[in-house]
Amino acid sequence: MREIIVAAAQMGAIQKAEGRQQVVARMMALMEQAKAADADFIVYPELTLTTFFPRYYMEDQGEVDTWFEAEMPNAATQPLFQRAREYGMAMTFGFAELTPDGHHFNTSVHVDKSGAIVGKYRKVHLPGHGEFDPDRSFQHLEKRYFEPGDLGFPVYRTLGGVFGMCICNDRRWPETYRSMGLQGVEMITLGYNTPSVNSQKSEEGPEKRMFHSDLVMQSGAYQNSTWVVGVAKAGSEDGHPMFGGSIIVNPEGEIVAKAVSEDDELLVHTCDLDDTVFGKQTIFDFARHRRIEHYGRITAQVGVELPPEE
Ligand code: CDT
């Protein structure tokens, strides 16, 4: 058995006026609960440190950059890193990254029990749009503020297993999971900020949206025989509702823990990384069953190419 105790730390709303220090205090309160549950690893959401700022249209790059972190750890997050090290707890969280040479990414890091950053991921599938869109009921400007990630889907060895990350919209794409599945991933962690309504289809509400969220994480887990831990930032941020529903999914695609609130809430589950082995050796033994001679389109083509007209 290779058991680790995982704490999925769902966060409630973070208002626009809330500072990083307030948020870090909330993260540390959740870490305290995780410590009481003996957790080895705590997982926080996408863009944990601030409100989901891509909903705001900004033209001034100086203003945009106030939402980004030029260093990690930095003054605001140092206490969190220190506490995690004291507790001997690994952690992952998301933040907006400004690199020394001026690039902007939607990033997550995995910090091991000694406080070292052992994994970094930059969001590949950026949803939304780049310009103000008057036809949407609210904006989603990730394509304006971030560049697509340039690190691919790396995995890394830590906590006695093979780990990887993705971020929010990435969870909807089977390519995300398979890229890590092909590197033997045993646990994928991800955070999300998902509005409760579709800005382009008002009748699509939280039930349907959560169904899709669960569906993609459960199928990604099953089809790659990996644990998936998906953690929401939820609640109403300055009147913009986002659903919760954080889940831990086992390698058979079953939900083993699910959040019930839209607030700060901790889910704890003991995950045995050896539970990934059976699926990887049988129905999803990629080396025996994949037929790559038929998959060329998946990397050769982006959009749909229809067959010729009749
Ligand atoms: N943060 C993020 O990626 N949210 C998206 C919303 C898509 S709607 C433009 C998601 O896939 O949940």
Side-chain angles (χ1 to χ4, degrees):
M1 288 209 296
R2 285 180 295 143
E3 287 185 343
I4 57 168
I5 301 178
V6 176
Q10 177 172 291
M11 304 278 295
I14 298 172
Q15 309 306 331
K16 200 178 179 188
E18 254 177 275
R20 266 76 152 177
Q21 277 176 334
Q22 277 171 276
V23 177
V24 167
R26 282 168 57 187
M27 294 170 79
M28 286 170 69
L30 285 162
M31 189 177 274
E32 206 69 43
Q33 288 180 40
K35 171 71 180 159
D38 249 350
D40 295 291
F41 180 32
I42 185 164
V43 182
Y44 297 103
E46 175 191 36
L47 297 176
T48 310
L49 302 174
T50 66
T51 198
F52 188 71
F53 67 86
R55 71 170 66 90
Y56 299 110
Y57 179 71
M58 293 173 274
E59 288 184 331
D60 173 6
Q61 191 59 41
E63 183 188 357
V64 173
D65 285 351
T66 63
W67 297 104
F68 281 74
E69 317 299 321
E71 294 181 300
M72 191 54 66
N74 56 22
T77 55
Q78 190 60 53
L80 182 75
F81 276 72
Q82 197 173 320
R83 185 64 56 81
R85 199 168 46 244
E86 279 164 25
Y87 284 169
M89 196 183 300
M91 67 174 170
T92 173
F93 65 92
F95 63 96
E97 178 191 15
L98 176 57
T99 68
D101 55 348
H103 292 283
H104 296 76
F105 296 107
N106 187 341
T107 295
S108 56
V109 286
H110 184 129
V111 182
D112 75 5
K113 290 184 174 188
S114 76
I117 293 177
V118 291
K120 179 182 261 198
Y121 171 71
R122 293 173 172 154
K123 187 174 183 176
V124 166
H125 300 101
L126 296 174
H129 47 112
E131 294 302 328
F132 186 84
D133 182 352
D135 294 331
R136 292 178 187 241
S137 55
F138 53 88
Q139 304 296 295
H140 194 111
L141 290 152
E142 285 196 61
K143 287 193 195 294
R144 182 175 185 85
Y145 302 131
F146 300 116
E147 297 159 61
D150 60 353
L151 301 175
F153 293 99
V155 305
Y156 41 91
R157 286 189 188 275
T158 192
L159 289 164
V162 181
F163 284 68
M165 294 177 274
C166 67
I167 300 179
C168 195
N169 188 263
D170 287 318
R171 75 194 189 284
R172 304 186 191 278
W173 299 87
E175 294 86 347
T176 297
Y177 304 89
R178 186 50 50 88
S179 296
M180 289 187 267
L182 284 166
Q183 301 171 79
V185 76
E186 295 175 318
M187 181 173 287
I188 295 173
T189 59
L190 69 98
Y192 57 91
N193 285 260
T194 303
S196 302
V197 286
N198 188 326
S199 65
Q200 295 168 294
K201 191 181 180 193
S202 57
E203 68 274 22
E204 187 184 292
E207 293 79 19
K208 178 73 72 69
R209 310 248 312 154
M210 200 185 293
F211 165 70
H212 288 153
S213 184
D214 292 351
L215 178 71
V216 291
M217 288 191 272
Q218 291 183 255
S219 51
Y222 169 65
Q223 291 171 343
N224 295 278
S225 197
T226 179
W227 290 91
V228 172
V229 181
V231 180
K233 179 140 71 59
S236 178
E237 293 191 338
D238 297 287
H240 296 276
M242 298 186 294
F243 67 75
S246 302
I247 50 174
I248 300 176
V249 186
N250 72 18
E252 295 185 295
E254 295 160 330
I255 295 174
V256 294
K258 184 161 192 161
V260 292
S261 77
E262 291 189 343
D263 299 317
D264 293 6
E265 179 180 344
L266 200 75
L267 304 177
V268 179
H269 189 79
T270 301
C271 302
D272 186 350
L273 300 175
D274 277 344
D275 288 350
T276 64
V277 173
F278 180 75
K280 287 183 192 298
Q281 289 182 344
T282 55
I283 192 159
F284 295 116
D285 180 347
F286 295 156
R288 278 195 294 143
H289 304 309
R290 291 181 81 241
R291 303 265 39 130
I292 58 172
E293 65 275 29
H294 299 297
Y295 303 158
R297 275 184 193 278
I298 289 173
T299 54
Q301 187 179 322
V302 182
V304 173
E305 286 178 19
L306 289 170
E309 297 285 342
E310 267 186 298

